[in-house]
Amino acid sequence: MTISFPKDIIKGIFSIPKEKDSPYAKAKLQRIIIQGEEVIQISKYTQQQVFHENISLDKLDDYLNNMLDNHFRSLELHTKEYLYAYKISSKGKLLTNKKQQKHEFVVLEHNKVKKYLIEEGMIVPPLMDLGIMTADGKIVKAKFDKFKQINRFLEMIEDSIANETKLKIIDFGCGKSYLTFVLYYYLTSIKKIDCQIIGLDLKTEVIQHCNKIAEKYRYDKLKFMQGDIAQFRKEKNVDMIVTLHACDTATDYALYYAIQMECRYIFSVPCCQHEINFQLKNKNIAPISKYGILKERFAAILTDSIRANILEYFGYKTQVLEFVDWESTPKNVLIRAKLESKKPSSVLKEEVEAWMKQLGFEQTLYSLCFKTKES
Ligand SMILES: C[S@@+](CC[C@H](N)C(=O)[O-])C[C@H]1O[C@@H](n2cnc3c(N)ncnc32)[C@H](O)[C@@H]1O
């Protein structure tokens, strides 16, 4: 039988899979507008993942008929005015129903539906174990800022890695590893990149916990290790390092590692840049240093600008970006760097040195890169 479905569908859901071992537990429909064109976005849910596809309105009848013929016994469709129900009985008989809609439904602009690469409702299984996501894919309210940061971090990475098919990544100072898990899930399950990730942190317990979760989901190429970034072994062929709020000089050790290992990509969101703040006593900055908060911010800006300049010196094309809004976290600066040329430019080093001398401070990344070698 071929059903002619209403043309003004706004949303809907397929449920009750026909086969016990069906790959999909349910599928949702949502009318959205992409670049001015109305399409129906289908989100097919397996136990662990969600797959999206957009169906043009002229192909929708065929698509829905095929889904009812082959995959699901039940379909509910909402239009602005009506709720339509289609059920296929165990004997293969079609039962239909049509009811007046209780609420008015609206069509969403695409950017309102999909703000993030990982949307709310999209099940990322380890995030449930980590207490950031509920079983139905909702983000725990208290964790929403973290969720937002992780999504923005992913977007920043996604922007840079077109054409990559294989990546080896280290997340330094991974902590509870929300980012590490989402990154692994996104790159392997959604982008289909052959991806290996190591998460490193000082804390033994979190590392053990994260390894258990990785094993539970058979994330074979995701490993967590306990250790100090400063002493971390020299891994071969690391393509990317990421850090999200690695404390104070931990960020410097991570950047130094990337420079030494000639990692092609760096994504680093620094945190609590105390090092220079504690040293700044110079009377040249008296108008700033008498206000604690300004001194702290000035020190953070100095720290990150030195880091960015040193990366440039080592041939990284470097950007310093605001990656989330200030309200989500004031630690919202991302250093994004891509290795382009291996020829250091001495001017940048001299500029950094002049600045350090003038204001009278030492900086860990600078010392790691130049002091030990020169002394
Ligand atoms: C603020 S947490 C951030 C955790 C995680 N990246 C996130 O955004 O949720 C900083 C983490 O860096 C780790 N850390 C600090 N210094 C480190 C070092 N030298 N080596 C390894 N991990 C370090 C801490 O143990 C902590 O878990």
Side-chain angles (χ1 to χ4, degrees):
M1 94 208 88
T2 305
I3 307 166
S4 179
F5 294 99
K7 303 297 166 234
D8 50 349
I9 299 166
I10 292 176
K11 62 189 274 184
I13 184 163
F14 282 103
S15 57
I16 316 180
K18 282 201 155 167
E19 306 297 335
K20 267 194 186 149
D21 55 356
S22 162
Y24 302 114
K26 63 179 175 185
K28 289 184 180 175
L29 291 76
Q30 173 78 54
R31 181 180 290 245
I32 58 172
I33 301 169
I34 301 178
Q35 292 167 349
E37 192 196 344
E38 292 195 12
V39 296
I40 300 291
Q41 183 171 72
I42 313 280
S43 307
K44 293 193 270 190
Y45 290 69
T46 69
Q47 290 305 326
Q48 300 197 343
Q49 296 176 23
V50 188
F51 297 92
H52 300 281
E53 59 186 311
N54 296 326
I55 308 295
S56 60
L57 297 180
D58 58 329
K59 301 209 169 85
L60 191 63
D61 264 9
D62 286 348
Y63 186 93
L64 299 183
N65 272 298
N66 176 45
M67 290 282 271
L68 271 185
D69 285 345
N70 298 305
H71 298 295
F72 292 98
R73 290 194 182 284
S74 166
L75 169 63
E76 280 188 359
L77 294 175
H78 297 268
T79 66
K80 204 168 173 185
E81 286 179 71
Y82 296 104
L83 165 60
Y84 295 83
Y86 305 84
K87 276 220 164 80
I88 312 289
S89 73
S90 50
K91 289 183 182 152
K93 198 170 168 226
L94 172 69
L95 310 166
T96 61
N97 195 359
K98 180 180 170 187
K99 275 197 260 177
Q100 190 80 34
Q101 198 67 261
K102 284 189 189 136
H103 308 287
E104 197 171 294
F105 282 82
V106 288
V107 181
L108 298 172
E109 289 285 339
H110 188 55
N111 62 3
K112 287 186 189 148
V113 176
K114 184 181 179 301
K115 271 196 207 141
Y116 302 120
L117 291 176
I118 301 290
E119 294 168 54
E120 206 169 357
M122 202 165 155
I123 310 283
V124 183
L127 288 189
M128 293 190 252
D129 300 69
L130 293 167
I132 211 167
M133 191 175 261
T134 62
D136 57 353
K138 293 233 159 43
I139 301 304
V140 173
K141 214 172 163 203
K143 302 283 186 192
F144 202 83
D145 279 339
K146 202 70 191 172
F147 176 71
K148 206 161 143 185
Q149 290 166 33
I150 291 166
N151 259 297
R152 287 292 294 144
F153 209 111
L154 283 194
E155 280 172 32
M156 296 287 182
I157 294 178
E158 155 119 43
D159 267 3
S160 311
I161 57 159
N163 307 325
E164 295 290 350
T165 52
K166 197 170 178 189
L167 285 171
K168 182 168 176 179
I169 302 173
I170 305 181
D171 181 354
F172 283 123
C174 57
K176 289 188 181 150
S177 304
Y178 308 127
L179 171 68
T180 338
F181 278 107
V182 174
L183 189 58
Y184 185 82
Y185 176 84
Y186 183 70
L187 294 179
T188 57
S189 299
I190 297 179
K191 299 290 287 181
K192 307 289 178 209
I193 292 176
D194 177 3
C195 183
Q196 182 187 347
I197 304 189
I198 298 172
L200 183 83
D201 202 281
L202 290 172
K203 296 175 190 156
T204 310
E205 272 181 25
V206 280
I207 291 300
Q208 284 171 347
H209 183 57
C210 292
N211 272 328
K212 275 195 193 140
I213 299 174
E215 279 160 29
K216 176 175 168 185
Y217 294 108
R218 302 210 176 105
Y219 289 172
D220 301 335
K221 292 188 172 179
L222 174 59
K223 300 270 179 264
F224 294 91
M225 301 173 75
Q226 188 280 328
D228 187 336
I229 304 166
Q231 261 101 51
F232 189 58
R233 69 186 190 204
K234 305 234 176 318
E235 278 284 321
K236 277 192 191 140
N237 306 324
V238 179
D239 300 293
M240 182 190 298
I241 68 116
V242 300
T243 73
L244 178 56
H245 299 151
C247 324
D248 200 10
T249 56
T251 298
D252 295 296
Y253 286 98
L255 298 179
Y256 182 54
Y257 187 93
I259 292 170
Q260 280 182 301
M261 307 311 292
E262 297 184 345
C263 303
R264 291 183 292 129
Y265 299 104
I266 297 173
F267 297 87
S268 177
V269 175
C271 182
C272 46
Q273 298 94 327
H274 297 312
E275 185 187 33
I276 295 181
N277 191 25
F278 290 146
Q279 298 175 67
L280 281 178
K281 294 189 181 73
N282 195 298
K283 61 180 184 332
N284 292 342
I285 60 153
I288 292 175
S289 60
K290 66 183 176 189
Y291 303 108
I293 179 112
L294 294 183
K295 184 174 167 235
E296 204 178 287
R297 288 190 189 165
F298 181 62
I301 290 171
L302 270 180
T303 311
D304 292 337
S305 54
I306 288 174
R307 288 167 174 163
N309 276 280
I310 291 178
L311 290 173
E312 295 266 6
Y313 172 85
F314 282 105
Y316 283 89
K317 185 167 187 283
T318 306
Q319 297 166 295
V320 181
L321 307 160
E322 190 175 75
F323 91 111
V324 282
D325 56 80
W326 187 265
E327 277 170 23
S328 174
T329 171
K331 300 159 190 171
N332 65 347
V333 165
L334 172 88
I335 300 175
R336 177 163 74 173
K338 187 170 181 207
L339 189 57
E340 294 211 325
S341 135
K342 291 186 183 164
K343 219 171 168 200
S345 143
S346 59
V347 179
L348 292 169
K349 182 174 173 247
E350 284 154 21
E351 282 174 354
V352 165
E353 282 163 353
W355 213 0
M356 288 167 53
K357 198 168 165 201
Q358 194 185 349
L359 295 175
F361 62 83
E362 302 280 328
Q363 202 280 331
T364 297
L365 182 59
Y366 176 86
S367 304
L368 288 168
C369 291
F370 304 115
K371 283 249 169 126
T372 39
K373 282 175 195 155
E374 285 171 4
S375 58

